[in-house]
Structure formats: structure tokens, C-alpha cells
């Protein structure tokens, strides 16, 4: 058993795909995601998907929105985290970002946005209405998945919860250009937990950029545990990780 691993947890080797830059990464990931949707729609009435909101996902979402032949009317979309304390019109809200980057660009059958004013259980009920087919996510500089900063509970019994954001996570939002200064970044958020994200049948993880190299390396090569939430990807049997030359593991 790997040091720090949950007792009894099976481990897998994620498929690692490496590309020269973020655009090539996004194009390849979009093709794979579109193929996964089409494959499921051959035998299912709908596909339920969870999406991350972050600049690291832009190239993938742009290519996915332009991909031909996807029956988006049979896709139900969720997102995985949202700030608390921002006004409804704030451009930094993840629901707003995803609408602009993707949700308003394709004719989705349904979109369920996190309401920061509602209790976490409300969104949990929407997620639990049927199984999740696909999760599209990234890895944070501190190794977080969604807003599950370290140390995270990899066996959290709650599917959705309110969390306190650590400073590394909040600093990433400034470095990504989402906020002008650290004191503007909210300190609390609502997030899907690690088990909720990993409940999907298939996971696509897009992680471009030099600032992610250490987290990617630790997630794929280091111990599995809550000290690095992204290491939990190695407990999922169907996970593909997409990196560019800058983020490729050491």
C-alpha cells in the first residue's frame, strides 16, 4: 500500500497524454470528451457531466464547443465549485465564467448552477438524481480538486460542502488573472467533494502550465492521501490526464 493511501483503496495508473502546448492539449482532450459523450448516447437517453471553471480549461472548452456532431440537447451540465460572498453579477463567479466559456455556446439540455445562497444539500440532491457519466477537471497549484484544498478528506461522506480556502488556492486565483489582489478573493466557497467528483464513470483532467508541474508530479508519482487531493485520481479506474511540455511530470 502506498504511504498515505486509504486502507483498502485500489490504485490505478491514469493514462497520461503529453502535448507541446495548451492549445494542442485542449484540442485532443475535446476530441476524447466528445467521443465519450457520443459513445454513451448510443445506449443512454442522456449524459450527465461535471465541468471545472478555470483558465486552464479554456482551450478544452473552446474546442469542445466547436466540435461537430455532439448532441448537446441530451447533455445535463453541472459545475464543481462556487465562491461565497460575491454578488450575483460578479464576473469572477464560476457559474458566470462557465456560461461565457461554454454553457451559453452549446444547446445543453439542462444546466444546473450552484446557488451560493442555497444549502449544499440542495445541489447534492440534483447530483444524486442519476449517476454522473463524465467529470472534466484540472489540478490546482496546491494539488486541489475543485475547492478541496489540502488536507482534504478523500472519503468525505458529504457530496457538497462549504469550505475555507487556503492562501495558496486564493493566490492562484490572482495569478490566473481572476482577481486583481489577494484581499479581493473570497475566503469561503461551496464545492463538490473528492468522492463526488470521482463518482463519475470517466474522468478527463486537463492540466497545462508550468505552475502545475509540481502538483502533477506529486499527484501521479507521490503518496496517495489528503495532503495532495489530486493524488486521489489514482484511485479511479478510468482517468486520463492531459499535460503540456510545461506541466509534464518530472
Amino acid at each position: 500500500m502506498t504511504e498515505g493511501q486509504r486502507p483498502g483503496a485500489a490504485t490505478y495508473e491514469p493514462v497520461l497524454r503529453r502535448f507541446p502546448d495548451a492549445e494542442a492539449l485542449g484540442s485532443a482532450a475535446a476530441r476524447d470528451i466528445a467521443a465519450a459523450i457520443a459513445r454513451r448516447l448510443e445506449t443512454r437517453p442522456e449524459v450527465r457531466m461535471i465541468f471545472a471553471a478555470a483558465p486552464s480549461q479554456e482551450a478544452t472548452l473552446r474546442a469542445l464547443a466547436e466540435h461537430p456532431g455532439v448532441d448537446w440537447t441530451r447533455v445535463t451540465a453541472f459545475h464543481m465549485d462556487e465562491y461565497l460572498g460575491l454578488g450575483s453579477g460578479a464576473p469572477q463567479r464560476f457559474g458566470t465564467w462557465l456560461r461565457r466559456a461554454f454553457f451559453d455556446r452549446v444547446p445543453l439540455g439542462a444546466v444546473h448552477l450552484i446557488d451560493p445562497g442555497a444549502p449544499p444539500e440542495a445541489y447534492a440532491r440534483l447530483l444524486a438524481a442519476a449517476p454522473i457519466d463524465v467529470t472534466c477537471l484540472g489540478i490546482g497549484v496546491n494539488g486541489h480538486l475543485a475547492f478541496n484544498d489540502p488536507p482534504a478528506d478523500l472519503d468525505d461522506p458529504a457530496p457538497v460542502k462549504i469550505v475555507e480556502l487556503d492562501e495558496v488556492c486564493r493566490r492562484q486565483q490572482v495569478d490566473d488573472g481572476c482577481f486583481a489582489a489577494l484581499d479581493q478573493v473570497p475566503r469561503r466557497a461551496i464545492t463538490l467533494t473528492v468522492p463526488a467528483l470521482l463518482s463519475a464513470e470517466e474522468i478527463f483532467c486537463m492540466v497545462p502550465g508550468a505552475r502545475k508541474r509540481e502538483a502533477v508530479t506529486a499527484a501521479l508519482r507521490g503518496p496517495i492521501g489528503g495532503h495532495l487531493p489530486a493524488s486521489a485520481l489514482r484511485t479511479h479506474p478510468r482517468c486520463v490526464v492531459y499535460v503540456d511540455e510545461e506541466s509534464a511530470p518530472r
Side-chain angles (χ1 to χ4, degrees):
M1 182 172 68
T2 306
E3 181 185 352
Q5 181 183 335
R6 292 171 292 159
T11 60
Y12 305 89
E13 188 72 25
V15 175
L16 182 64
R17 300 194 63 193
R18 182 169 176 165
F19 299 90
D21 53 45
E23 290 301 315
L25 181 161
S27 295
R31 287 194 297 270
D32 291 349
I33 295 166
I37 295 169
R39 190 166 58 247
R40 284 167 173 79
L41 288 179
E42 289 178 357
T43 58
R44 305 175 192 182
E46 69 164 349
V47 168
R48 289 160 57 86
M49 301 180 64
I50 300 170
F51 292 91
S56 64
Q57 308 300 298
E58 271 187 303
T60 298
L61 294 177
R62 183 171 61 252
L64 188 57
E66 296 169 354
H67 197 283
V70 179
D71 186 358
W72 292 111
T73 64
R74 294 166 62 194
V75 174
T76 296
F78 299 85
H79 67 126
M80 58 184 59
D81 45 13
E82 186 58 272
Y83 295 111
L84 297 180
L86 291 180
S88 60
Q92 298 94 340
R93 282 179 62 156
F94 286 153
T96 302
W97 189 94
L98 272 169
R99 281 199 176 279
R100 182 176 63 250
F102 185 67
F103 289 169
D104 287 347
R105 300 185 60 197
V106 295
L108 288 160
V111 174
H112 296 300
L113 297 179
I114 295 173
D115 177 0
E121 295 78 15
Y123 206 65
R125 285 192 291 270
L126 291 173
L127 287 167
I132 299 297
D133 297 287
V134 175
T135 296
C136 299
L137 47 63
I139 294 174
V141 171
N142 64 356
H144 70 210
L145 295 179
F147 270 148
N148 296 281
D149 291 330
D153 184 354
L154 303 190
D155 292 307
D156 200 314
V160 186
K161 68 179 183 180
I162 292 173
V163 294
E164 299 285 334
L165 304 179
D166 74 16
E167 186 169 328
V168 177
C169 172
R170 294 174 63 235
R171 172 60 62 184
Q172 179 182 329
Q173 312 311 312
V174 178
D175 294 340
D176 282 348
C178 301
F179 293 87
L182 184 63
D183 61 3
Q184 297 177 7
V185 183
R187 296 179 178 273
R188 302 173 76 227
I190 184 168
T191 185
L192 273 64
T193 60
V194 173
L197 298 170
L198 269 57
S199 70
E201 188 175 31
E202 195 166 4
I203 296 175
F204 298 90
C205 181
M206 288 64 71
V207 205
R211 290 188 296 118
K212 303 294 183 70
R213 183 190 293 270
E214 296 301 327
V216 170
T217 301
L220 297 181
R221 306 284 184 257
I224 297 174
H227 66 286
L228 196 93
S231 65
L233 294 173
R234 285 159 47 209
T235 67
H236 195 283
R238 300 188 65 187
C239 175
V240 185
V241 178
Y242 301 79
V243 297
D244 59 12
E245 291 298 328
E246 294 184 331
S247 63
R250 298 188 186 282

